[in-house]
Amino acid sequence: MTARAWAQASEWEQYRARKAEAKAARAEAAAMQPDDEVPAAPVAPVVLPAPRPAPAPVLEPETADVDQELVLEDLPPARCATGGCGR
């Protein structure tokens, strides 16, 4: 038997040993489970929020009329319904 065949046979032996150990561990874990264990209550489904709508596209502002004149008006002071607003 060559060294390569020997190494391959050893690897397969280790693989089978690990597989047997895992099978035994699963069987032991299944045997440890109590038979009268009640399954957990069903969990309510998770409701995910609806996706947010995409923001509206930003439109380029129209070119403002540069020659516009700003007009300020003198407005009378605000009056409350009671007349005077605390004056």
Side-chain angles (χ1 to χ4, degrees), residues 44-73:
V46 175
V47 179
L48 298 176
R52 294 178 182 241
V58 178
L59 301 176
E60 292 296 323
E62 295 180 21
T63 56
D65 185 9
V66 180
D67 295 333
Q68 273 187 343
E69 184 178 325
L70 181 62
V71 178
L72 299 176
E73 299 177 16

Side-chain angles (χ1 to χ4, degrees), residues 1-3 5-6 9:
M1 186 179 255
T2 65
W6 182 267

Side-chain angles (χ1 to χ4, degrees), residues 9-79:
S10 176
E11 287 176 6
W12 274 107
E13 184 180 335
Q14 290 174 359
Y15 170 76
R16 287 188 201 109
R18 284 194 310 267
K19 195 142 175 118
E21 288 174 8
K23 185 176 181 181
R26 283 193 300 273
E28 183 180 346
M32 297 292 285
Q33 292 286 336
D35 294 334
D36 61 331
E37 188 171 322
V38 179
V43 178
V46 175
V47 179
L48 298 176
R52 294 178 182 241
V58 178
L59 301 176
E60 292 296 323
E62 295 180 21
T63 56
D65 185 9
V66 180
D67 295 333
Q68 273 187 343
E69 184 178 325
L70 181 62
V71 178
L72 299 176
E73 299 177 16
D74 289 330
L75 299 175
R79 301 282 180 188

